[in-house]
Amino acid sequence: MLLLLACRAAAASPEGIVIRFSHVVADDTPKGIAARAFKRIAESRSNGRIRVEVYPRSTLFDDNDEILALQMGAVEIVAPSLSKFGKIGFPSFELFDLPFLFRDTEEVHRIMRGPVGRQLLADLNRQQILGLGYLDNGFKQMSANRPLLRRSDYAGLRMRIQPSRIIAAQMIALGAQAVPLALSETRLALSTRVVDGTENPLSNFVTQGIHEVQSHLSLTQHGYLGYAVVTSQRFWQQLKPADRELLEGAMHEAIEIGNNVASAHERRALDVIHAWKETHVHRPSEAQRSELEAAMRPVYERAKTRIGARLLEQTLHELSEARLRRRP
Ligand code: LMR
């Protein structure tokens, strides 16, 4: 399938440029909305000379093969979650998976837009990948068929995770087992009890129907989930400078649009889950969140080797400086 698609020379047809943008979530999520906004802006600014085909919900590739598909020229743009870059040789991206690292998206953006975030995107060049920008989803919550508010609640649970060693270490620190699975397989794995629980921002819970197969949702807000929007150097270098500029501008605006809807989507998704009634929603107390945070603390030790002690220190330093400046 990959090879067949790669052979279809879609990137530069005689009539113009075709860009295939493949992703694994629903249209009605921050990433889906950003992808469609990119299509709209790029097509209208190029008067239709550039055509963007958006393939949502793993219809073309799932998260196990989308980056390979990009490298082989079978698609031109993908936006994997930051947790999926470690597996292909960029473990430092797992920095963003660290539990309780960021207090809010303002802090996340500070790191993404500063030297750390810029360096991570630049590193992708090693594998002929070009980073076009970062995009938000939001903060993750936990689900299972029981509340997950205290460390002891996680004992022995099989938790579906993305393929990130830092997220695996987080689940192990809680006393659970970590089971990496593609997003497209997650709902079925939960409904058939192959796994017991999972974590994700609420927009993914709702658009994947995960709340329908989990009786308890715990609003732990324990970690961030976002994306790097990437293209391949080979494709990019084929484009005329004016088209690169047009596409960069379109992506920049599309990312703004995606980021701006993220928190409204979060609130809407929570309303949907409340209305569903069969899923009990729990909000941990401050003491319960502190207990979870303390239980996950050993993950920072693991991060020194996985992410690099210098990068970790630099991030912690930037965050603490920013917190001092933000104090009233
Ligand atoms: C996942 O759980 O695999 C995701 O959050 C994927 C995504 O792209 O949001």
Side-chain angles (χ1 to χ4, degrees):
M1 159 107 148
L2 265 179
L3 271 173
L4 265 178
L5 278 157
C7 292
R8 202 190 113 201
S13 68
E15 312 83 57
I17 297 164
V18 180
I19 297 176
R20 290 160 294 183
F21 186 157
S22 166
H23 67 82
V24 302
V25 293
D27 275 331
D28 193 21
T29 57
K31 180 158 64 179
I33 287 170
R36 284 184 298 145
F38 173 71
K39 171 181 170 67
R40 211 173 45 244
I41 301 167
E43 290 182 347
S44 89
R45 294 223 176 118
S46 66
N47 295 319
R49 192 173 44 79
I50 297 177
R51 206 172 79 228
V52 180
E53 298 172 356
V54 179
Y55 297 93
R57 282 194 179 276
S58 313
T59 41
L60 208 45
F61 297 107
D62 75 13
D63 31 23
N64 290 320
D65 47 23
E66 61 181 355
I67 300 179
L68 182 61
L70 179 81
Q71 289 171 317
M72 291 182 68
V75 288
E76 285 67 45
I77 298 185
V78 292
S81 72
L82 301 169
S83 322
K84 288 170 186 160
F85 286 87
K87 197 176 85 165
I88 60 150
F90 301 101
S92 303
F93 274 81
E94 292 180 14
L95 169 75
F96 293 98
D97 293 332
L98 275 168
F100 294 98
L101 177 62
F102 302 109
R103 291 184 183 163
D104 51 31
T105 31
E106 192 181 324
E107 290 197 348
V108 177
H109 291 170
R110 184 176 293 278
I111 298 303
M112 284 175 166
R113 292 168 190 169
V116 169
R118 287 201 299 268
Q119 186 58 49
L120 289 178
L121 284 190
D123 288 346
L124 294 172
N125 288 339
R126 271 199 282 120
Q127 287 197 29
Q128 286 73 54
I129 297 172
L130 177 74
L132 295 172
Y134 290 104
L135 171 69
D136 289 330
N137 186 323
F139 280 80
K140 295 180 288 185
Q141 324 294 350
M142 297 277 194
S143 76
N145 291 321
R146 54 161 109 141
L148 296 176
L149 301 169
R150 325 223 14 195
R151 182 174 196 267
S152 53
D153 298 333
Y154 292 79
L157 287 186
R158 290 168 58 78
M159 298 292 287
R160 178 271 168 175
I161 60 160
Q162 303 184 75
S164 152
R165 299 264 177 93
I166 292 294
I167 301 179
Q170 165 201 286
M171 292 305 183
I172 292 163
L174 289 168
Q177 287 178 50
V179 184
L181 278 180
L183 182 66
S184 56
E185 296 163 351
T186 300
R187 187 182 193 278
L188 183 62
L190 286 164
S191 68
T192 53
R193 308 286 165 103
V194 169
V195 289
D196 305 302
T198 192
E199 56 161 33
N200 235 310
L202 294 180
S203 64
N204 279 348
F205 270 108
V206 164
T207 51
Q208 298 290 321
I210 290 175
H211 64 296
E212 296 166 4
V213 294
Q214 296 271 267
S215 56
H216 292 265
L217 173 75
S218 302
L219 301 174
T220 47
Q221 285 293 92
H222 59 281
Y224 170 80
L225 191 147
Y227 310 102
V229 186
V230 295
T231 184
S232 78
Q233 291 281 9
R234 197 170 36 164
F235 165 67
W236 201 248
Q237 262 133 39
Q238 259 169 215
L239 299 171
K240 295 201 186 89
D243 286 338
R244 281 188 219 144
E245 204 178 307
L246 184 153
L247 292 171
E248 258 167 15
M251 187 55 80
H252 186 79
E253 284 178 41
I255 286 176
E256 282 288 309
I257 292 170
N259 285 353
N260 288 340
V261 298
S263 54
H265 269 244
E266 179 91 355
R267 285 194 298 277
R268 234 177 50 200
L270 188 57
D271 290 344
V272 171
I273 297 171
H274 277 306
W276 174 251
K277 293 214 168 59
E278 283 167 45
T279 307
H280 305 280
V281 179
H282 310 273
R283 203 174 285 277
S285 66
E286 271 313 304
Q288 286 167 332
R289 272 193 99 230
S290 304
E291 182 185 326
L292 294 180
E293 182 172 0
M296 295 182 196
R297 202 69 210 165
V299 181
Y300 282 70
E301 217 26 63
R302 173 77 182 91
K304 285 186 192 156
T305 46
R306 182 70 180 156
I307 291 163
R310 252 194 52 219
L311 191 81
L312 181 59
E313 249 166 54
Q314 188 180 351
T315 306
L316 293 173
H317 177 74
E318 280 178 33
L319 288 173
S320 71
E321 294 275 292
R323 281 173 197 164
L324 282 176
R325 283 196 300 272
R326 269 172 87 175
R327 251 194 217 155

